[in-house]
């Protein structure tokens, strides 16, 4: 047993001595080579330069990542080239084709409604499309323009019956091949001319510039108000309209107003117009009403205009759509009276805002016309000629606004 213990101790001593020798050998062989096997430049990030193939025995640039200079593309999603058009041409066959960066091919066509009675009210035309691919066809989508009573999907030929309203309508359609693959997507706008516009209100709509306590001036044949400047500017920009007035009521023919019809009644208030609405719309089918009412006997509340709009909605349900542009009323020179004007206009704005789903737009004539734009009359109610021109500009901007205006040209 003593021999056995001696052998074991000898073995243990040999192992310890061998381990010490190996350790000393490793230390002596580790010279100035200095291998920095643990020195990692993990924080040096070159966001554009990846050296993925350069391996330095131990200098690992493991953090150098090209996370990507991503050029997602320059998208011009809002630039619409609707085409080059002579916007003053009311030829019923005038078509303008263009395209939008969104991939939708846009086109526009003017329909002169004066020629439709000779064809039974039906317009014959062709929807613009490239049908050169063998077997391609047009598939119609939604439309608010009217009724297609005949349609050839292989040529795009249509017979189209416009609706009662002359507000522009849009037709969506696609060109597909024989397998149903979409080759192109289109939106075609029909513009019906002339659009029927009713200027409606009191003496300001009629065009009175001065009341001396007895007589309104200018006299009716010379009275143009905002109507002439508005009509001329629209015509010069290619928008064809037709002013409407009940019973042929007219003013301004001797002052060069081409279309003097209107429904401006000096001295009236909101209740008067409420009682006339159905009668007026029954006599004259209109598409747009320009309403400025409330200067006479200005109330604090605009409830009367709410009632008028309710009556208009009821008429539309049984007849045709009508867009109402309702104006805040222009200021009065008297400070006390003008305070009531401000209250009325604010209430009107609130009521129009509450009718978000209705066909009604607010036009802020009060912001356009200042007290300085009133005539020199003692009562201080009627705009001067310059004031009326400002009103015309404001109506124009609302009618042709790119976002919500109802009038279009093929430009």
């Amino acid at each position: 047993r003593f021999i056995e213990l001696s052998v074991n101790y000898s073995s243990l001593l040999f192992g310890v001595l061998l381990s010490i020798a190996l350790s000393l050998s490793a230390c002596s062989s580790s010279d100035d080579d200095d291998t920095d096997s643990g020195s990692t430049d993990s924080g040096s990030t070159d966001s554009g330069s990846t050296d993925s193939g350069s391996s330095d025995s131990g200098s690992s640039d493991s953090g150098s990542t090209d996370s990507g200079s991503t050029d997602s593309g320059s998208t011009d999603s809002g630039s619409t080239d609707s085409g080059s058009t002579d916007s003053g041409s009311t030829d019923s066959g005038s078509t303008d084709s263009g395209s939008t960066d969104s991939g939708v091919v846009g086109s526009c066509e003017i329909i002169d409604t004066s020629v439709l009675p000779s064809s039974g009210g039906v317009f014959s035309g062709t929807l613009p499309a490239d049908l050169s691919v063998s077997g391609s066809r047009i598939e119609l989508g939604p439309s608010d323009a009217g009724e297609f009573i005949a349609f050839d999907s292989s040529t795009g030929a249509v017979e189209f019956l416009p609706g009662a309203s002359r507000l522009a309508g849009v037709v969506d359609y696609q060109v597909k091949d024989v397998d149903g693959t979409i080759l192109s997507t289109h939106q075609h706008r029909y513009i019906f001319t002339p659009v029927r516009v009713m200027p409606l209100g009191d003496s300001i709509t009629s065009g009175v510039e001065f009341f001396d306590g007895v007589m309104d001036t200018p006299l009716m044949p010379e009275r143009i108000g905002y109507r002439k400047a508005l009509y001329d500017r629209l015509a010069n920009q290619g928008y064809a309209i037709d002013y409407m007035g009940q019973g042929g009521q007219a003013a301004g023919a001797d002052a060069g107003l081409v279309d003097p019809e209107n429904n401006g009644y000096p001295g009236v208030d909101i209740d008067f117009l409420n009682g006339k609405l159905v009668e007026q719309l029954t006599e004259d089918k209109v598409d747009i009403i320009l309403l400025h009412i409330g200067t006479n006997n200005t109330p604090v509340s605009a409830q009367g205009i709410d009632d008028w709009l309710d009556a208009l909605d009821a008429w539309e349900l049984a007849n045709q759509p009508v867009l109402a542009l309702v104006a805040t009323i222009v200021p009065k020179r008297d400070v006390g009276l003008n305070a009531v004007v401000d209250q009325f206009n604010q209430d009107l704005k609130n009521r129009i805002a509450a009718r978000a789903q209705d066909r009604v737009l607010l036009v802020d004539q009060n912001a356009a016309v200042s007290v300085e734009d009133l005539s020199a009359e003692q009562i201080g109610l009627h705009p001067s000629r310059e004031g009326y021109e400002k009103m015309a500009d404001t109506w124009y901007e609302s009618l042709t606004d790119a976002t919500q205006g109802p009038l279009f040209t093929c430009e």
Side-chain angles (χ1 to χ4, degrees):
R1 185 170 183 82
F2 174 78
I3 294 173
E4 183 179 340
L5 290 171
S6 297
V7 171
N8 288 339
Y9 282 126
S10 297
S11 297
L12 178 61
L13 179 61
F14 178 79
V16 172
L17 292 173
L18 179 62
S19 177
I20 293 171
L22 289 173
S23 178
L24 291 173
S25 174
C27 289
S28 65
S29 67
S30 177
D31 58 12
D32 290 335
D33 271 314
D34 247 359
T35 303
D36 186 7
S37 62
S39 173
T40 303
D41 186 7
S42 61
S44 173
T45 303
D46 180 3
S47 63
S49 169
T50 303
D51 187 358
S52 60
S54 175
S55 178
D56 185 46
S57 66
S59 176
S60 175
D61 189 2
S62 63
S64 175
T65 304
D66 185 353
S67 58
S69 171
T70 304
D71 184 358
S72 60
S74 173
T75 304
D76 182 8
S77 62
S79 175
T80 304
D81 182 2
S82 60
S84 172
T85 300
D86 179 5
S87 62
S89 170
T90 55
D91 186 2
S92 61
S94 174
T95 304
D96 172 40
S97 297
S99 63
T100 68
D101 287 345
S102 62
V104 177
V105 179
S107 54
C108 178
E109 190 164 6
I110 298 172
I111 298 178
D112 183 351
T113 58
S114 67
V115 305
L116 293 181
S118 62
S119 61
V122 176
F123 171 77
S124 297
T126 303
L127 292 175
D130 180 0
L131 296 167
S132 60
V133 175
S134 178
S136 60
R137 68 190 189 281
I138 292 177
E139 185 175 294
L140 288 177
S143 171
D144 61 356
E147 178 184 358
F148 289 94
I149 58 178
F151 171 62
D152 187 335
S153 63
S154 63
T155 66
V158 298
E159 289 188 4
F160 173 71
L161 183 64
S165 172
R166 293 185 189 173
L167 297 181
V170 171
V171 182
D172 293 309
Y173 57 98
Q174 294 176 329
V175 176
K176 296 184 177 181
D177 64 15
V178 291
D179 298 319
T181 301
I182 298 173
L183 302 177
S184 58
T185 301
H186 295 253
Q187 186 173 84
H188 188 64
R189 185 183 300 277
Y190 285 112
I191 297 177
F192 309 105
T193 62
V195 176
R196 299 161 297 190
V197 179
M198 179 190 291
L200 179 62
D202 50 33
S203 57
I204 292 177
T205 296
S206 179
V208 173
E209 296 174 28
F210 194 96
F211 178 65
D212 62 8
V214 177
M215 180 182 296
D216 287 329
T217 55
L219 299 179
M220 200 72 73
E222 300 288 333
R223 195 179 295 170
I224 56 175
Y226 66 75
R227 293 175 291 110
K228 183 179 187 302
L230 175 59
Y231 186 95
D232 291 347
R233 185 174 178 187
L234 288 170
N236 290 337
Q237 297 301 317
Y239 300 96
I241 66 167
D242 180 12
Y243 280 147
M244 310 298 289
Q246 186 183 13
Q249 180 169 305
D254 290 353
L257 179 52
V258 175
D259 188 354
E261 293 185 335
N262 70 93
N263 277 332
Y265 309 91
V268 305
D269 59 12
I270 299 170
D271 291 341
F272 175 86
L273 295 188
N274 283 341
K276 295 281 285 185
L277 180 62
V278 173
E279 182 183 319
Q280 290 164 341
L281 294 178
T282 300
E283 182 171 325
D284 291 320
K285 299 296 187 293
V286 302
D287 307 299
I288 299 171
I289 297 175
L290 308 180
L291 179 67
H292 183 282
I293 191 66
T295 298
N296 297 309
N297 305 316
T298 306
V300 173
S301 167
Q303 178 62 53
I305 291 184
D306 243 348
D307 296 340
W308 183 88
L309 288 168
D310 288 341
L312 178 60
D313 288 344
W315 188 90
E316 289 179 274
L317 286 175
N319 295 276
Q320 69 178 61
V322 177
L323 176 65
L325 273 63
V326 179
T328 57
I329 61 174
V330 299
K332 299 180 181 182
R333 184 177 296 114
D334 182 273
V335 175
L337 296 177
N338 204 37
V340 180
V341 168
D342 290 341
Q343 289 179 286
F344 172 83
N345 284 335
Q346 186 57 57
D347 189 50
L348 177 61
K349 291 177 181 180
N350 294 340
R351 291 175 183 275
I352 298 300
R355 305 180 77 102
Q357 306 305 314
D358 207 349
R359 279 182 289 268
V360 56
L361 298 176
L362 180 75
V363 180
D364 199 351
Q365 292 289 4
N366 186 269
V369 179
S370 69
V371 172
E372 288 70 29
D373 296 314
L374 301 179
S375 71
E377 65 182 2
Q378 184 175 357
I379 61 173
L381 301 181
H382 298 98
S384 62
R385 184 61 58 89
E386 293 76 16
Y388 277 124
E389 289 177 357
K390 290 183 178 181
M391 290 187 72
D393 289 342
T394 305
W395 286 123
Y396 177 89
E397 296 301 329
S398 295
L399 287 166
T400 62
D401 179 78
T403 303
Q404 57 184 6
L407 298 184
F408 294 87
T409 65
C410 281
E411 288 187 344

